[in-house]
Amino acid sequence: MSGGRRRPGCCRIILAPLLACAAFCLLLGGLPLRPRATDKDVFLSDACTDEDGKRILRRLCWDFAEGSAAGDLCPDLCVRGLMVYQRCLYYERGKKVMAVRWRGRPVVLKSQLENLSSYRPLGWLEYQDAGAEDASPLAILHAATLEVRRWLGLAGEGEDDVEEGAHGSPASLPARKIYSRAELTSMWSLLQQEEYAFLRVLQDLSAHVPKVLGSCGHFYAVESLSAGHAWDRNIFSLENGEQRATDVHRLALSFLDMVRHFDDDFAHKVHLCDVKPENFAIRKDLTVVAIDVDMAFFQPKMEEILGHQCAGDDDCRFFDCTSSCDLAARHCRRQRANTNLQVAVRPLSPRRRDWKEELSALSASGRSLCFAETQLADNPLSAAGQVICQKIFRPWFSPTLLGAKAGLPLQVELQRAVRECAAPGQAAVDRDVRLRLLRVLTRLLQEGK
């Protein structure tokens, strides 16, 4: 599959109207409040101090008091004392991440830059009269939608500029509500953060991304989840071996569902370019959540990232997303050579909602689970450099961790499928590896092994 296209008739979610809805949600009374937080365990940065975190939040509240920042969380953070700072989680490479308690619940505050003034301003507001404190919401909606599309790499030709009227401002549109400069400035700073834009677009469409709970100025709050090696360590240290095995199998199935979802359920495939345990979390129901999506990209953005000059294949690696070098053109191929899991699998039927439906449909059709319809990516290196199988599944299902169960037939079959999925060049031999993993994990879960 190239360019993120899907076969005609395949159900998919069209992104353009959703982008408009995501932008509009920012205008209609702020972000929705969804207090669904759970525990969080994150690795603290050596450069991250409480002094830094408190200083940043004091500056944010100063902006709010001056009328420069706005958001539905600002009153709780800056006035009512219902959002209380706990600790700084991350302070390097620009991103600022802090743990806070909001109305008794643990949540995480994030911003790509430290200060609101560091973000690019909404330039055309400067053309308004000095006394003008409002703007057309439809004009802002149009501009915001283009901004989201631009940052996600989804803007097409001719969408680079907002339609302009006199003096460089957006063309006049009827206004239904008045919005302050603080609201517009805060919204614009949020839309310039790719992770925030990505989460807002997928907010009501995916169980595999964290919930955005609200915002204040350039900071946004997300649900707090058990992340990284914390859940990895806890699951494998359970005293009850049977419960441990059941949880691991359910987690693996959730990873497979996430991969299928990101591959098939949108107009453009979602690529995960930084796969490691600390970038995923789990909810209490063992749903896998991609919590750090700074390195998650829709297909058009992925092609833009990969398509640069090269002297060899080593120049065409972007973290876990790899391509190959066209030596004749001295340019990286724009199609990714590997995938989030293994070789690309064509959907067997329009948009399966979960792995149970997929298995049920296969069983009802009488088709073999081991010979499902598949297709290789166009790139000749499509089997190279597998990601989730190599970095997540291989450590989980190693003979060392499995112990005495490692020799059981289903466990042996699972280990073989994981090896073939993870080893460069092997997945092309047996192209149904995802469904093999699905079948074996489901049987293991059903039989409690």
Side-chain angles (χ1 to χ4, degrees):
M1 291 178 285
S2 61
R5 295 181 181 274
R6 297 287 182 268
R7 294 179 299 168
C10 179
C11 294
R12 62 186 181 182
I13 297 170
I14 305 300
L15 293 173
L18 296 174
L19 293 170
C21 291
F24 201 48
C25 284
L26 293 168
L27 300 175
L28 299 180
L31 298 175
L33 301 180
R34 298 180 185 178
R36 294 174 56 188
T38 52
D39 295 333
K40 174 88 174 175
D41 187 352
V42 213
F43 293 105
L44 303 184
S45 165
D46 292 337
C48 191
T49 67
D50 286 339
E51 181 181 353
D52 292 325
K54 292 176 180 178
R55 173 179 52 79
I56 292 170
L57 293 185
R58 281 197 302 268
R59 173 64 181 270
L60 175 61
C61 287
W62 180 258
D63 288 340
F64 174 64
E66 284 193 322
S68 302
D72 51 1
L73 295 184
C74 288
D76 279 3
L77 175 65
C78 303
V79 180
R80 303 183 187 119
L82 297 177
M83 181 171 281
V84 181
Y85 172 88
Q86 287 192 301
R87 64 188 186 278
C88 185
L89 300 175
Y90 196 80
Y91 189 65
E92 294 179 343
R93 292 187 298 162
K95 181 183 283 189
K96 309 298 178 285
V97 184
M98 285 169 277
V100 300
R101 289 194 73 83
W102 176 43
R103 298 176 180 260
R105 302 177 178 89
V107 301
V108 177
L109 282 179
K110 288 186 172 186
S111 176
Q112 191 63 44
L113 300 177
E114 182 170 322
N115 298 316
L116 181 62
S117 59
S118 299
Y119 288 92
R120 177 166 55 86
L122 185 55
W124 61 265
L125 279 179
E126 303 303 322
Y127 289 99
Q128 292 185 320
D129 295 335
E133 292 296 331
D134 56 66
S136 161
L138 294 181
I140 293 298
L141 172 60
H142 180 54
T145 301
L146 291 184
E147 186 73 3
V148 173
R149 291 176 62 81
R150 185 178 297 115
W151 278 104
L152 295 180
L154 300 173
E157 294 183 6
E159 292 188 60
D160 291 340
D161 298 307
V162 177
E163 182 182 357
E164 293 187 344
H167 309 295
S169 64
S172 177
L173 291 171
R176 295 182 181 177
K177 182 181 175 181
I178 302 304
Y179 297 98
S180 68
R181 285 175 178 265
E183 290 174 304
L184 299 178
T185 299
S186 298
M187 177 199 72
W188 208 245
S189 70
L190 291 169
L191 292 180
Q192 291 176 56
Q193 301 179 56
E194 291 188 26
E195 181 177 69
Y196 175 82
F198 183 90
L199 291 178
R200 285 302 303 161
V201 168
L202 298 188
Q203 194 62 187
D204 297 318
L205 306 175
S206 177
H208 295 289
V209 297
K211 298 299 181 184
V212 178
L213 306 176
S215 67
C216 179
H218 55 303
F219 272 87
Y220 59 98
V222 296
E223 62 178 325
S224 183
L225 297 164
S226 179
H229 293 292
W231 54 259
D232 204 345
R233 187 169 54 245
N234 291 338
I235 287 174
F236 288 108
S237 64
L238 292 175
E239 294 182 1
N240 187 331
E242 291 186 3
Q243 183 60 48
R244 177 185 65 189
T246 296
D247 288 348
V248 172
H249 296 151
R250 288 179 61 191
L251 276 176
L253 284 168
S254 187
F255 263 108
L256 291 177
D257 182 69
M258 179 185 68
V259 169
R260 179 208 56 77
H261 175 55
F262 286 167
D263 280 356
D264 300 337
D265 283 356
F266 306 103
H268 297 287
K269 181 179 293 188
V270 177
H271 295 271
L272 302 174
C273 293
D274 192 12
V275 174
K276 52 189 176 185
E278 53 264 41
N279 285 348
F280 298 94
I282 58 173
R283 294 194 175 96
K284 288 182 177 179
D285 63 358
L286 298 185
T287 297
V288 172
V289 179
I291 56 171
D292 191 337
V293 292
D294 283 331
M295 301 289 284
F297 308 99
F298 286 105
Q299 180 73 24
K301 187 73 171 182
M302 188 78 264
E303 293 180 6
E304 177 186 330
I305 291 170
L306 292 176
H308 58 264
Q309 292 183 341
C310 60
D313 288 347
D314 287 343
D315 296 329
C316 301
R317 298 181 182 276
F318 183 77
F319 295 84
D320 290 324
C321 295
T322 64
S323 179
S324 61
C325 184
D326 184 338
L327 295 176
R330 312 293 285 182
H331 222 264
C332 294
R333 292 180 171 88
R334 295 169 68 86
Q335 294 300 309
R336 184 179 172 186
N338 61 347
T339 72
N340 294 331
L341 180 75
Q342 43 34 249
V343 293
V345 178
R346 180 188 299 139
L348 294 174
S349 58
R351 193 183 170 200
R352 297 290 176 208
R353 294 189 63 84
D354 56 36
W355 52 272
K356 293 180 182 178
E357 289 185 8
E358 189 164 82
L359 282 175
S360 176
L362 283 167
S363 176
S365 67
R367 300 184 61 180
S368 169
L369 286 166
C370 292
F371 295 96
E373 180 185 12
T374 62
Q375 70 176 30
L376 286 171
D378 295 335
N379 196 288
L381 296 180
S382 58
Q386 312 314 323
V387 183
I388 287 177
C389 281
Q390 176 65 36
K391 293 191 170 186
I392 305 293
F393 288 173
R394 285 200 77 166
W396 282 5
F397 302 117
S398 67
T400 302
L401 279 177
L402 291 172
K405 291 186 175 182
L408 297 176
L410 279 178
Q411 294 289 358
V412 171
E413 187 175 351
L414 175 60
Q415 293 171 60
R416 183 183 299 116
V418 170
R419 284 197 305 270
E420 292 177 1
C421 179
Q426 295 302 310
V429 177
D430 195 351
R431 295 178 287 181
D432 61 329
V433 64
R434 181 173 70 91
L435 290 174
R436 289 178 60 208
L437 287 169
L438 187 65
R439 176 179 62 84
V440 176
L441 286 166
T442 302
R443 286 184 59 189
L444 285 166
L445 190 61
Q446 292 171 342
E447 297 179 16
K449 295 183 179 180

